[in-house]
Amino acid sequence: MIYKGLTKRKKLRAFLLISFLFFTSYLTSKTFKKVYSKDIILFGSDLFTNKDILNNSSLNLPTRLIFVKTKYLERELKKKLSLQNVSVNRQIFPFGLKIIIKTRTPIAYAEKILDGKKIIGFVDENGFFINEQYSDIENMKQLSIRVIGWKENFKETLSKILKSQKNNDVEFLTVNFSPSGFLTLEEKNLKKIFLGINPKIIKTQLQMICDIKNQISDKNLLEKIDNIDLTDPNNPKIKVFKP
């Protein structure tokens, strides 16, 4: 017998060593096993399928589990699917790729131009664009804000506009970026508001909008407003309808 003459302690050590080597060999063989589409395990959202993962990433299956670049895949999916967060993990038990998805919450309708075509979708409060097919709005309230002319470099400004409504009495209906970046808002009572092309003063402009609305409480006076020009915060202009 192979363990004859050994002490119980030595027998146990030998057993543990053999078990460790066997288990390590088993794990190694699993990590080199090929991953197929059916081995993608999705959690967190039922909006996406394995096909969506493959169509929106450079993941080319079948490939060996150990060769899947998880961090690179996370960055691809987060950007292309407009996700708030995504986690990709190689998994042995059960075997496959475990992908945990956290979607963004739409708070406004939006449209952008891509390759000369109008793309319809939504934006979240941080200004990220969400493609229509990847938006779960069935159980949400009817959205009242529309963003026109969305671009990547407008996200920060847009986020400040959308978040400014939380603690103020303003209610924006439209956020419109022209192709050149000229920003125009439409507020429920103040109507059209021109803000211009300087994103550095957006915080000041938003505070002025709130102050103007709080100061003009007379409904009859509000109805007379045609537009407000805040492109120069030091020289605000309010245009009213002539009687």
Side-chain angles (χ1 to χ4, degrees):
M1 185 175 178
I2 194 170
Y3 298 132
K4 188 175 181 180
L6 297 178
T7 64
K8 288 184 178 180
R9 181 173 293 180
K10 288 183 177 180
K11 288 181 180 181
L12 178 60
R13 286 178 179 174
F15 173 76
L16 291 176
L17 178 59
I18 293 172
S19 298
F20 174 76
L21 292 174
F22 174 79
F23 186 67
T24 301
S25 176
Y26 174 77
L27 290 180
T28 301
S29 67
K30 279 289 189 179
T31 58
F32 277 91
K33 183 179 176 182
K34 287 187 176 181
V35 180
Y36 292 84
S37 177
K38 63 180 179 62
D39 298 316
I40 297 176
I41 310 164
L42 297 177
F43 291 90
S45 174
D46 57 3
L47 291 175
F48 303 95
T49 65
N50 292 6
K51 186 176 180 180
D52 291 323
I53 300 300
L54 296 174
N55 288 344
N56 291 278
S57 72
S58 59
L59 185 61
N60 190 15
L61 300 182
T63 190
R64 301 190 188 281
L65 181 65
I66 196 171
F67 295 142
V68 176
K69 299 176 181 179
T70 56
K71 295 302 178 183
Y72 184 76
L73 183 56
E74 287 173 354
R75 290 194 294 270
E76 280 188 314
L77 294 175
K78 186 174 182 180
K79 181 178 180 180
K80 293 186 178 181
L81 298 179
S82 300
L83 300 175
Q84 184 170 337
N85 200 15
V86 58
S87 173
V88 180
N89 298 287
R90 303 185 194 94
Q91 188 168 273
I92 302 298
F93 306 108
F95 175 81
L97 278 179
K98 181 180 180 181
I99 301 179
I100 303 174
I101 290 172
K102 186 174 182 182
T103 58
R104 297 184 182 277
T105 302
I107 65 169
Y109 293 105
E111 60 183 58
K112 65 178 180 178
I113 303 298
L114 182 63
D115 297 328
K117 296 181 180 179
K118 182 187 292 186
I119 307 297
I120 302 298
F122 305 88
V123 290
D124 71 349
E125 69 172 8
N126 293 312
F128 283 86
F129 191 90
I130 311 166
N131 287 333
E132 190 174 24
Q133 66 267 38
Y134 302 134
S135 305
D136 183 12
I137 62 167
E138 290 184 3
N139 299 318
M140 296 181 62
K141 294 180 180 179
Q142 186 75 8
L143 303 179
S144 59
I145 313 173
R146 182 174 297 278
V147 177
I148 301 172
W150 183 95
K151 287 184 180 179
E152 187 78 21
N153 57 322
F154 296 154
K155 283 190 306 184
E156 186 176 348
T157 298
L158 178 58
S159 177
K160 290 177 181 178
I161 294 170
L162 296 174
K163 290 178 179 179
S164 71
Q165 299 185 113
K166 285 186 175 181
N167 302 316
N168 297 312
D169 295 326
V170 293
E171 186 176 343
F172 297 121
L173 303 178
T174 306
V175 180
N176 192 329
F177 294 96
S178 74
S180 63
F182 191 96
L183 176 59
T184 304
L185 304 181
E186 182 184 356
E187 204 276 334
K188 185 177 180 179
N189 299 117
L190 299 178
K191 304 179 183 65
K192 190 171 291 186
I193 306 170
F194 302 113
L195 298 186
I197 58 175
N198 188 357
K200 294 181 180 180
I201 59 174
I202 185 64
K203 187 175 180 180
T204 299
Q205 291 171 318
L206 291 172
Q207 184 58 55
M208 290 182 70
I209 292 172
C210 182
D211 292 341
I212 290 172
K213 186 162 185 181
N214 288 335
Q215 292 171 13
I216 304 177
S217 57
D218 188 291
K219 185 177 179 181
N220 291 327
L221 184 56
L222 285 171
E223 290 178 349
K224 294 179 180 179
I225 294 177
D226 180 33
N227 64 67
I228 299 174
D229 188 342
L230 298 179
T231 52
D232 179 3
N234 295 317
N235 185 30
K237 301 175 183 177
I238 299 179
K239 183 179 179 181
V240 296
F241 290 107
K242 294 181 178 181

